[in-house]
Each structure stands twice: as C-alpha cells, then as structure tokens.
Amino acid sequence: MDYLHGNQIDSRGEVKDLTERIRTVLMATAQMKKHDKDPKMLIDLQNSLAKSYTKSQPPVTNLSVSVENLCTIIWTWNPPEGASPNCSLKYFSHFGNKQDKKIAPETHRSKEVPLNEKICLQVGSQCSTNESEKPSILVEKCISPPEGDPESAVTELQCIWHNLRYMKCTWLPGRNTSPDTNYTLYYWHNSLGKILQCENIYTEGQHIACSFNLTKVKDSSFEQHSVQVMVKDNAGKIRPSFNIVPLTSHVKPDPPHIKNLSFQNGDLYVQWTNPQNFQSKCLSYEVEVNNSHAETHDIFYVEEAKCQNTEFEGNLEGTICFMVPGVLPDTLNTVRIRVKTNKLCYEDDKLWSNWSQAMSIGQKANPTFYITTLLIIPVIVAAAVIVLLLYLKRLKIIIFPPIPDPGKIFKEMFGDQNDDTLHWKKYDIYEKQTKEETDSVVLIESLKRASQ
C-alpha cells in the first residue's frame, strides 16, 4: 500500500521544499547583515543560500514490497526519472520513526521481522552518502499483518535451542480460539533451503509445544542467521503468529557430568565434563555443595575453571575443575553442577541448564546413634513433663491453700445433736400414740363386762 504517490507526493513535497527555501533565505539574509565584517562567515552563508535554490533529486519510482520465506520482507524500487547525469545516485531509507537509517547504492532492502504488526519503509534518492545532504521526497511502502482476529492468534510464542541439537517452541492458545483447534508450526533457517513443518506437536500443561531437529553445522555464518517460526491452524480460522529466534540467544545447554570428587588439604576438588557441542570459554558454571551434618547449602559461581596436573589425577582432556574451600571430609557432602552460556559467545546468558546428577563424598553419619537419640528424647521429655506437672500441683497447693467451708464446720459441730433431738421427738410421739390405743382397748373391755 502506497502512502505517497503520484501528484499527491509532488504537491506535498513542493510545498515543503518551498517553505524550507524561504526559511533558509530569510535566515541567511539576517545572518549576512549581522556578520557583514566577517568574510569567512559571509562565504558560508552564501553557500548555504546557493544550496537552497538547488533543486532536490526526484523521488524513486515503482517502490514495491514482498515477503520471502516466513518473515523476510524485501523492498525494491527503480531509480528516479529525470535524475541529473552528474549525480552518483545513492538511496536513503529508514523504517518507522526513522529507525535503521541506511544510505546505499542498491535499489533494494530487506529485513527479518515478525509479521505481527504493520511495518513501513521510506526511501529517497540523493547524490552522496552524506546524511546532511537533503534527499528527495521520501516514498513509503508498508506491509500489513495477516488477516484475522488478533485475539485468535497464539500468545507467548517462544523457542529455545536445546544443546545446539533441537529447538523447542511453546505457545498458549489465543483468547478467541476453540479448544479443539489443530495447530501447525512452520519453520525456516538459511541452512534448510525450504520451509518445513514441525510434526511433533504435544501439550505441556496449558502450553502447546513442538520440537524439531536443528543441529549446528560447521559453518562460521550458521549462528549469524535466525530461525523464522510461524504458528497457524489447519482450518485457517485463527490469525497466524510469527517469531524470529536468533541462534546467538535462547540457548540452553544440557547438564554437565561430574567425573570425580576428592579431598586435598581440607578442600574439596570437583571434576566434570561439559555438555557436548560447547566450548569451555562459552560457558559459566554454578557448583552447589550440600553438607548433611551442618545442613548448609552453598553455591559457588564459576567463570573460569581450569585443571592443574598438580591438583588432579588422571586424563584431564576436556575436564573442568573447581576447588571448594573449607569442606570437612568427616561429613557427607553432596555436589551438583549446572551451566549456562555466557556473553563471550552468545547474546543470552540467562538460561541455566538443569542440575547435573548429584554425587556425594565423605563419611555418612551412624544411623544407630540417630535412632537411639530419637527414641530416648521422647522418653526424657515425657518424664520431664510428668515431674513438672506433679511439682506444679504441689506448688499450687502451697501457694493457694484450700479455703475452709463454714457449712461443713457447723455440720460437724451440731450435726449429731440435731439427729438425737429428732430421734427423741419421734420416740415421744410413738409412746403417746401407743398409750392412747391401750386406753381405748381397756375402755371397750370394761363396757362389755358392764353390759353382761
């Protein structure tokens, strides 16, 4: 899509050119009056005034844009019509907000860029490589991202080159995407010759992943190129997503292999071998030492690790060495190592490898002692708690003696007397009733006899 073309380009350019000429003339005239006694300054101002009347070069023609591979954008154009025969044409170009300025004689320019956003190139002609020279009117050509809903494109698309042997790319589905979407990943590299499809697609939790072989070749320019990646669906319902992975970054080595651990003069010496495909100068290391007795966890960062024959025994070819100071040999020490690329060979130095397989050295503590200790300690604690409870109960009685109950005291003093009094009262009532019944019987017998 052209944003400046035909008569519209010429009219806008002429107005802008005329405005700048008028401004230059006015400023030069004012400065000439101010410096009329300075011959050198007058000559410079006259040259500036003369250049303002010089007609600029005509714009380039037939600016077009195309896409090669997956993310290689190529702009081409033709020389301007009516250019001065005495002019050695050069072309001034830049992207977006005057980024990546370039002045060159070629009538084309390319750039590797993900096609997720719109990108534009502006091109103008001039007669030298001097940036201060005024170029022709700039012609612009843009390329838009692929069609489709931006919310359907995959997110967090990133790739890691594992041990310079294979590349693994992961992504998350877009927001407006069906759960049963079948994704396809395409990739291209300068050494491949054509665009290939990744066949090994699988899921890792919420992420979708795909791995493909990418082995480093013995070519000095191999790592200067990038891997171009595109993810889309088979049905064409989602918007394609692009990424460019420089081979000098996003590199994750395999873990190293620990060869030997030894004690010498109170220090721990560690020997290991690097992962394949990497040189020692391109790696940095972390050595982790765990002491089981002191329960310490020490990590040592190693930039350069060299072996000396006076310290180590055996074949040292391809072996990396490091001395850990102050490690006690009479305790169990466990060592692990991990590596990452450094800035000497790669742009990225943040991807650590996994930890290596652990290796231990030293004397292991006697388990019988710990088992006995674990059995005795609870018994001692329980006995101490019982003694403490008994002591606290006795101490409570001494500090807080029980308060006497007055009711019990009075009961003890008068309780028996009250019982006897009640007993005698009951006995008198019983005797009185018995006597009354006896008198009644005697009276009845007397009356019977009198009637006879």
Side-chain angles (χ1 to χ4, degrees):
M1 178 179 179
D2 289 331
Y3 284 84
L4 296 174
H5 60 279
N7 295 331
Q8 184 177 4
I9 297 175
D10 296 338
S11 60
R12 291 180 181 178
E14 288 176 359
V15 172
K16 183 178 179 181
D17 186 48
L18 180 60
T19 303
E20 291 183 357
R21 290 183 182 181
I22 295 174
R23 181 174 177 272
T24 303
V25 170
L26 294 176
M27 292 181 62
T29 303
Q31 292 293 325
M32 289 173 68
K33 290 181 179 180
K34 184 177 180 181
H35 301 281
D36 57 348
K37 296 182 180 181
D38 188 348
K40 186 177 180 180
M41 180 63 72
L42 286 174
I43 293 174
D44 293 339
L45 292 172
Q46 288 172 357
N47 290 332
S48 176
L49 186 60
K51 287 182 179 180
S52 67
Y53 289 96
T54 302
K55 186 177 181 180
S56 62
Q57 290 294 325
V60 299
T61 59
N62 298 328
L63 177 61
S64 62
V65 63
S66 61
V67 178
E68 289 187 359
N69 308 319
L70 292 174
C71 301
T72 304
I73 308 176
I74 300 176
W75 288 268
T76 59
W77 59 88
N78 292 335
E81 297 178 354
S84 173
N86 298 325
C87 176
S88 179
L89 280 173
K90 303 292 186 297
Y91 301 97
F92 171 83
S93 61
H94 64 76
F95 297 97
N97 298 324
K98 297 184 178 181
Q99 298 176 354
D100 297 333
K101 293 181 180 180
K102 182 180 179 181
I103 299 176
E106 293 81 15
T107 58
H108 60 84
R109 186 171 181 182
S110 62
K111 183 178 180 65
E112 275 191 328
V113 59
L115 300 179
N116 300 318
E117 297 180 356
K118 179 180 177 181
I119 181 171
C120 301
L121 178 72
Q122 293 183 346
V123 184
S125 62
Q126 60 186 53
C127 290
S128 70
T129 58
N130 189 358
E131 290 189 9
S132 62
E133 180 181 343
K134 182 181 178 183
S136 69
I137 299 170
L138 297 179
V139 182
E140 186 179 60
K141 192 75 173 181
C142 299
I143 185 169
S144 300
E147 297 180 355
D149 182 9
E151 295 294 327
S152 66
V154 301
T155 60
E156 298 185 19
L157 175 58
Q158 57 182 353
C159 301
I160 297 177
W161 196 12
H162 288 264
N163 210 54
L164 307 183
R165 291 188 295 108
Y166 71 94
M167 183 165 285
K168 176 182 175 181
C169 299
T170 59
W171 64 88
L172 287 173
R175 295 182 180 178
N176 297 340
T177 307
S178 174
D180 58 351
T181 301
N182 294 321
Y183 295 95
T184 305
L185 183 143
Y186 297 94
Y187 63 96
W188 178 88
H189 182 262
N190 187 56
S191 64
L192 300 177
K194 63 178 181 179
I195 299 174
L196 298 180
Q197 179 180 342
C198 182
E199 303 291 345
N200 185 24
I201 294 183
Y202 52 95
T203 58
E204 288 185 345
Q206 296 182 348
H207 286 80
I208 303 172
C210 191
S211 302
F212 54 89
N213 293 328
L214 185 66
T215 305
K216 179 180 178 181
V217 297
K218 294 181 179 180
D219 183 1
S220 58
S221 63
F222 179 83
E223 294 183 355
Q224 297 177 3
H225 300 282
S226 302
V227 177
Q228 301 177 7
V229 177
M230 178 184 69
V231 177
K232 55 183 293 187
D233 66 326
N234 298 331
K237 295 182 180 180
I238 69 171
R239 178 174 172 175
S241 184
F242 300 85
N243 193 12
I244 294 178
V245 186
L247 293 183
T248 54
S249 63
H250 300 85
V251 177
K252 183 178 180 179
D254 282 349
H257 173 68
I258 302 177
K259 291 181 60 178
N260 185 41
L261 301 176
S262 61
F263 286 110
Q264 293 185 21
N265 300 324
D267 299 325
L268 174 62
Y269 287 88
V270 186
Q271 294 176 258
W272 69 88
T273 56
N274 284 328
Q276 294 181 353
N277 305 325
F278 289 95
Q279 299 179 5
S280 298
K281 66 177 183 178
C282 299
L283 298 175
S284 299
Y285 311 89
E286 255 188 11
V287 179
E288 178 191 76
V289 181
N290 291 304
N291 187 286
S292 61
H293 178 69
E295 297 183 355
T296 57
H297 177 80
D298 299 323
I299 294 181
F300 302 89
Y301 187 77
V302 184
E303 284 285 356
E304 295 184 3
K306 297 181 180 180
C307 295
Q308 299 179 7
N309 293 329
T310 58
E311 298 173 351
F312 297 95
E313 299 179 355
N315 183 15
L316 299 180
E317 183 179 357
T319 302
I320 310 301
C321 307
F322 180 68
M323 180 192 71
V324 182
V327 178
L328 300 176
D330 56 348
T331 58
L332 183 65
N333 298 277
T334 304
V335 179
R336 297 192 305 171
I337 305 172
R338 65 177 182 173
V339 300
K340 69 174 181 177
T341 57
N342 57 32
K343 290 292 185 71
L344 183 62
C345 303
Y346 298 90
E347 295 179 1
D348 189 5
D349 63 345
K350 296 179 175 61
L351 283 177
W352 285 100
S353 71
N354 297 331
W355 286 104
S356 67
Q357 187 174 1
M359 181 178 286
S360 301
I361 187 174
Q363 296 180 358
K364 194 172 183 179
N366 187 1
T368 306
F369 172 77
Y370 290 102
I371 294 174
T372 305
T373 304
L374 291 176
L375 294 176
I376 293 176
I377 289 178
V379 175
I380 295 175
V381 172
V385 170
I386 294 173
V387 172
L388 181 62
L389 291 175
L390 294 175
Y391 175 76
L392 290 177
K393 185 175 182 180
R394 183 174 182 82
L395 186 64
K396 181 179 178 182
I397 295 174
I398 296 174
I399 298 175
F400 303 104
I403 300 174
D405 186 358
K408 293 183 178 180
I409 296 175
F410 284 107
K411 186 176 180 180
E412 292 177 356
M413 294 175 62
F414 304 103
D416 296 336
Q417 183 177 356
N418 291 338
D419 292 341
D420 294 340
T421 305
L422 182 61
H423 172 74
W424 286 110
K425 285 183 178 180
K426 289 181 179 181
Y427 180 78
D428 291 343
I429 293 172
Y430 175 76
E431 290 291 333
K432 184 176 180 180
Q433 289 178 351
T434 304
K435 184 178 180 182
E436 289 178 354
E437 291 177 357
T438 305
D439 292 343
S440 298
V441 171
V442 171
L443 179 61
I444 292 172
E445 291 291 335
S446 299
L447 291 174
K448 286 182 178 181
R449 292 175 181 175
S451 61
Q452 292 178 356

